[in-house]
């Protein structure tokens, strides 16, 4: 299974509308297996709903789905203090989660 970094690089490339070797290879591998690389993805956004970070996170999730890299995407927002509350919350709650 590919790591998160490979999957995110492929998604960003797909979201930007560029064709890269990584994105093409990942999408081809997913279609050969008959499913997405990652069945479920949770995107943690350290900002409130509707802002720039939120829109970026949601567009990234949509691009990953459109490219066939992920099956479903859920989003969790935690805003406050310019993202520092959300980042601290993420580090505390998800410290031991490899996904």
């Amino acid at each position: 299974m590919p790591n998160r970094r490979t999957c995110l690089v492929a998604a960003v490339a797909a979201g930007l509308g560029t064709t890269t070797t990584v994105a093409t290879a990942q999408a081809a591998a997913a279609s050969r297996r008959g499913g997405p690389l990652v069945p479920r993805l949770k995107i943690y956004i350290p900002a409130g709903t509707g802002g720039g970070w939120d829109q970026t996170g949601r567009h990234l999730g949509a691009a990953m789905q459109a490219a066939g890299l992920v099956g479903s995407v859920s989003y969790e927002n935690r805003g406050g203090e310019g993202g520092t509350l959300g980042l601290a919350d993420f580090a505390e709650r998800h410290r031991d989660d490899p996904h």
Side-chain angles (χ1 to χ4, degrees):
M1 174 177 272
N3 63 30
R4 268 186 297 185
R5 182 180 183 92
T6 303
C7 191
L8 288 172
V9 167
V12 169
L16 294 174
T18 62
T19 304
T20 68
T21 304
V22 174
T24 304
Q26 296 295 342
S31 66
R32 279 195 302 275
R33 282 197 319 271
L37 293 171
V38 178
R40 292 174 307 202
L41 177 68
K42 182 176 184 179
I43 296 179
Y44 186 96
I45 303 168
T49 305
W53 286 14
D54 180 56
Q55 291 177 28
T56 301
R58 291 176 190 275
H59 285 295
L60 180 60
M64 292 172 87
Q65 279 188 300
L69 298 171
V70 299
S72 66
V73 181
S74 64
Y75 304 93
E76 181 179 348
N77 291 74
R78 174 74 161 97
E81 300 295 323
T84 56
L85 292 181
L87 291 172
D89 178 60
F90 177 82
E92 180 65 31
R93 287 186 25 217
H94 301 288
R95 167 179 316 177
D96 298 323
D97 184 359
H99 302 289

